[in-house]
Amino acid sequence: MTKQANKKGTAALLLVATLILVLLISGIPSARRAKKENCAPVSGVVQAIKNGPPGIMIHLKQDPKIYYISRKTNTGISLKTLEQQLAGKNIQLYTTQDWSPLDPFSTMKQVYRLQIGDTVIFTEF
């Protein structure tokens, strides 16, 4: 009886470890996903723009999510410039529709393209 219980415990532990590994690997964002075809547009009016740990953070009115332009991909865009250009304006952001176990409710989304109307302010593709 002890050997059978021991085998079940080992099998359960192996199953849980495999599940955790799969979840962690699926949550790692891939650079190849950052294409316009794989991104979904999000529109809204800019409520606030701030500097934060992931980069320049953009808050939209009536949207609880935090959108950010990564410091790694930021190519010379300054916070002051964005505040002047975007304050109170309707913008369109392009973000990927990926899921991560580190952010299961997708409260933070990286911006891959930012535009006002037809004018592109920032893009990675």
Side-chain angles (χ1 to χ4, degrees):
M1 178 110 176
T2 312
K3 287 185 179 182
Q4 189 176 9
N6 194 15
K7 286 182 181 180
K8 286 183 181 179
T10 305
L13 184 62
L14 184 61
L15 181 65
V16 169
T18 304
L19 181 64
I20 289 172
L21 183 64
V22 167
L23 285 175
L24 288 175
I25 290 173
S26 70
I28 298 172
S30 173
R32 60 187 152 84
R33 290 189 204 166
K35 296 179 184 174
K36 191 172 182 179
E37 299 83 34
N38 299 339
C39 291
V42 176
S43 296
V45 177
V46 176
Q47 181 177 358
I49 300 174
K50 303 174 186 175
N51 255 336
I56 298 175
M57 298 185 299
I58 302 170
H59 298 274
L60 301 178
K61 288 183 181 176
Q62 314 234 331
D63 190 345
K65 294 182 181 175
I66 299 170
Y67 300 95
Y68 68 94
I69 298 173
S70 176
R71 288 185 181 154
K72 295 176 185 175
T73 59
N74 184 350
T75 55
I77 297 175
S78 72
L79 180 66
K80 289 184 180 185
T81 304
L82 280 180
E83 285 176 334
Q84 291 171 351
Q85 288 180 324
L86 306 178
K89 294 190 179 169
N90 191 11
I91 63 170
Q92 192 168 27
L93 306 169
Y94 287 85
T95 63
T96 57
Q97 298 300 317
D98 52 359
W99 181 84
S100 168
L102 303 175
D103 186 14
F105 301 108
S106 298
T107 57
M108 293 190 74
K109 302 296 267 177
Q110 184 174 351
V111 174
Y112 293 99
R113 183 180 173 114
L114 165 65
Q115 64 186 51
I116 301 174
D118 293 333
T119 306
V120 176
I121 307 296
F122 167 78
T123 187
E124 284 190 33
F125 38 79

